[in-house]
Amino acid sequence: MQRGFSLVELSIVLVILGLLTGGILAGQSLIRAAELRSVSTELNHHVTAINTFRDKYFAQPGDMTNATKFWGDQATGTGACADAATPDGTPGTCNGNGDGIMDGNLERHRAWQQLAMAGLIEGSFTGIPNAVTAGPNPGENAPRSKLSNAGWDIEYYRPSDYSWVGASTQYVQQLRHGVYGVWSDLDEREMMKPEEMWNIDTKLDDGKPAIGKAFTRYGAACATSNAVSADYLLSGQAKACGLIYKIGQ
């Protein structure tokens, strides 16, 4: 004689399954919240490191003209910039042009290398572009982020280059948070939902996607329009926003 499950037993099983599902979803939400908090923490750490470097060495990392006097000359390998008058370093580094900005593929990558050599950030970075993309690769020549296998990049761009109508045409130094892609730049799109980006922007700045120190690249799934007066599309559920942060002119 076969005996089936009673309604009470089935109800208990369904309750247990519901609790497990709810626990998994709650756990995922907590993990995501922690990852998003880490973005602000990482940003503040990098900004502090850059400012501390500038105060200590009187130059921007990557741009300083006497970097090899502190960390030696990188005399071998792909990133060699050998100078017979300067002792070789391990791995060594290269001097910048001293124009006050971290620009071009070399200075933007040397910046992370020199910040690490100065003991201001963790890690060890090559100081040269990635061999495949000619740009950043988190963990190789730029710091990793705890969010979605992302990383950080330094660039010198105009806000108007991010497709905002009416944005400033003045170049500004920026920290960008995004993923390693196929271009020579780190792709800072499709990282966060609009509400997530708005939350970070509000804590860091003004909560507006196109203006202020914290902003994003325009996308129809991220903002209400491409005008500088736009708001974040808070009802959007797509990961369509990414953090860009001005760190100077």
Side-chain angles (χ1 to χ4, degrees):
M1 177 179 177
Q2 294 182 338
R3 178 179 177 276
F5 291 105
S6 69
L7 290 177
V8 173
E9 291 171 330
L10 289 174
S11 297
I12 292 173
V13 171
L14 291 174
V15 168
I16 293 173
L17 290 174
L19 291 173
L20 290 172
T21 302
I24 291 172
L25 293 176
Q28 291 175 337
S29 297
L30 289 173
I31 292 172
R32 181 67 177 177
E35 289 178 340
L36 291 169
R37 285 195 300 272
S38 73
V39 174
S40 298
T41 301
E42 292 165 357
L43 173 68
N44 290 330
H45 177 66
H46 295 326
V47 171
T48 298
I50 291 169
N51 290 336
T52 302
F53 188 101
R54 186 172 58 243
D55 291 341
K56 183 175 181 180
Y57 298 103
F58 308 103
Q60 297 279 20
D63 180 60
M64 65 187 298
T65 58
N66 60 344
T68 58
K69 291 184 178 180
F70 291 92
W71 301 293
D73 182 42
Q74 185 167 338
T76 60
T78 305
C81 46
D83 181 355
T86 304
D88 295 346
T90 306
T93 189
C94 299
N95 295 326
N97 60 18
D99 62 358
I101 57 177
M102 297 166 275
D103 61 340
N105 257 351
L106 285 179
E107 287 192 356
R108 64 194 271 214
H109 300 317
R110 293 292 181 192
W112 297 119
Q113 181 191 51
Q114 292 170 15
L115 285 168
M117 288 177 169
L120 296 174
I121 62 173
E122 295 182 356
S124 177
F125 306 104
T126 64
I128 58 176
N130 175 264
V132 176
T133 66
N137 183 9
E140 176 189 335
N141 55 11
R144 293 185 185 276
S145 173
K146 292 183 179 179
L147 178 63
S148 304
N149 296 317
W152 292 90
D153 187 22
I154 293 174
E155 269 292 4
Y156 192 62
Y157 270 82
R158 299 168 296 189
S160 58
D161 290 332
Y162 296 106
S163 302
W164 296 110
V165 175
S168 170
T169 58
Q170 181 181 13
Y171 281 89
V172 291
Q173 196 79 66
Q174 305 157 9
L175 277 174
R176 301 194 302 169
H177 179 265
V179 296
Y180 164 59
V182 296
W183 299 343
S184 62
D185 293 329
L186 180 136
D187 190 356
E188 74 289 343
R189 292 169 288 190
E190 301 181 359
M191 293 300 302
M192 291 175 271
K193 296 178 181 179
E195 182 180 354
E196 295 173 336
M197 180 62 202
W198 167 82
N199 187 281
I200 290 176
D201 193 332
T202 300
K203 291 175 181 176
L204 293 173
D205 191 30
D206 56 8
K208 295 290 185 177
I211 58 177
K213 290 184 72 68
F215 63 105
T216 187
R217 184 187 293 270
Y218 170 69
C222 178
T224 54
S225 75
N226 64 343
V228 292
S229 59
D231 292 314
Y232 285 103
L233 187 65
L234 297 178
S235 61
Q237 295 302 304
K239 291 182 180 179
C241 307
L243 176 63
I244 305 167
Y245 190 82
K246 299 177 186 178
I247 54 175
Q249 299 300 324

